[in-house]
Amino acid sequence: DARVTQTPRHKVTEMGQEVTMRCQPILGHNTVFWYRQTMMQGLELLAYFRNRAPLDDSGMPKDRFSAEMPDATLATLKIQPSEPRDSAVYFCASYPGWGEQFFGPGTRLTVL
Amino acid sequence: AQTVTQSQPEMSVQEAETVTLSCTYDTSESDYYLFWYKQPPSRQMILVIRQEAYKQQNATENRFSVNFQKAAKSFSLKISDSQLGDAAMYFCAYRRGGGATNKLIFGTGTLLAVQP
């Protein structure tokens, strides 16, 4: 049963600290999306990659956020330095190029 | 820009009854897809149903069906024989078609409560 995995599932950190979230897409899927869910903004796209190349990161605050896909089995989202307003659930979604996007379980981030 | 609107922040239904969740969208595209996702308290995003814009027939998945009105840009979800496990947040989502890799645009969600 192929699934998207995300680590960590929960993260509590202090303002100013670096946070790294990881996603393992489903093997064979060529596209990875990062979405953020907050009470105020709802679900919004941060960035996405196709064949490991960044296609759109316009939804991501460039000064503190960075997203990479070092290989086909790993996508990372990094926040440095983190701020309380970054508290949210971050979802990774894996897409085979047709049909639906498959969501991971999310990383719940709390920045104190 | 495409937008998705869910005008019902909360809905409630009695177990075994039927409920309809509303969704409208705005787009100038002719090729697109519409989705309903369920998000239970676990926060996992679960695809409930999908509709291709070029298909006139409304999609159905067991107790879930949609009423797709393309001209009116409306995409409502009907849940029949509601069960306690249907209680969740439901999101309507739009994705542009055309063969490109496109993001999902979500509505603000409808929180569905199922009363025993």
Side-chain angles (χ1 to χ4, degrees), chain B residues 33-112:
Chain B
Y33 301 83
L34 296 164
F35 306 84
W36 279 98
Y37 279 88
K38 172 185 177 181
Q39 187 178 43
S42 68
R43 296 191 180 274
Q44 178 70 53
M45 295 290 287
I46 302 165
L47 179 66
V48 175
I49 201 164
R50 179 180 74 192
Q51 176 79 44
E52 290 87 344
Y54 64 86
K55 289 186 177 180
Q56 292 186 341
Q57 187 173 7
N58 289 324
T60 62
E61 287 288 341
N62 301 312
R63 298 182 294 107
F64 298 87
S65 62
V66 298
N67 184 4
F68 175 45
Q69 300 290 326
K70 191 171 184 178
K73 296 181 181 175
S74 171
F75 183 60
S76 60
L77 174 70
K78 185 172 80 171
I79 306 174
S80 303
D81 186 25
S82 297
Q83 300 176 359
L84 295 177
D86 295 333
M89 182 73 87
Y90 287 82
F91 291 96
C92 178
Y94 165 99
R95 178 169 66 83
R96 198 175 71 189
T101 299
N102 290 307
K103 63 184 179 183
L104 288 167
I105 298 172
F106 290 92
T108 52
T110 296
L111 182 62
L112 178 66

Side-chain angles (χ1 to χ4, degrees), chain B residues 4-25:
Chain B
V4 177
T5 302
Q6 293 179 252
S7 58
Q8 305 154 316
E10 297 182 13
M11 292 281 285
S12 182
V13 63
Q14 291 287 330
E15 196 175 5
E17 297 294 310
T18 295
V19 65
T20 299
L21 307 184
S22 301
C23 173
T24 58
Y25 60 96

Side-chain angles (χ1 to χ4, degrees), chain A:
Chain A
D1 184 20
R3 296 186 182 188
V4 178
T5 59
Q6 289 186 247
T7 57
R9 294 292 308 277
H10 303 273
K11 177 72 175 179
V12 180
T13 190
E14 294 188 347
M15 183 174 63
Q17 296 298 306
E18 178 178 297
V19 175
T20 299
M21 291 169 271
R22 294 176 176 82
C23 167
Q24 182 173 5
I26 295 171
L27 192 64
H29 286 198
N30 64 354
T31 305
V32 173
F33 296 84
W34 283 105
Y35 293 92
R36 177 172 64 182
Q37 184 178 29
T38 62
M39 289 294 293
M40 294 300 294
Q41 301 296 326
L43 278 154
E44 55 183 352
L45 179 75
L46 293 176
Y48 70 96
F49 296 79
R50 185 177 186 182
N51 295 323
R52 298 175 53 200
L55 283 191
D56 184 353
D57 61 0
S58 59
M60 203 165 65
K62 303 290 192 306
D63 56 339
R64 298 182 301 108
F65 284 62
S66 62
E68 295 180 345
M69 199 162 177
D71 63 61
T73 64
L74 177 65
T76 63
L77 181 66
K78 187 177 295 185
I79 309 174
Q80 168 63 24
S82 58
E83 298 181 1
R85 59 178 168 157
D86 301 329
S87 297
V89 180
Y90 292 80
F91 288 101
C92 168
S94 173
Y95 179 62
W98 55 273
E100 66 176 282
Q101 295 179 19
F102 294 82
F103 281 78
T107 293
R108 186 171 190 171
L109 174 65
T110 302
V111 183
L112 303 174

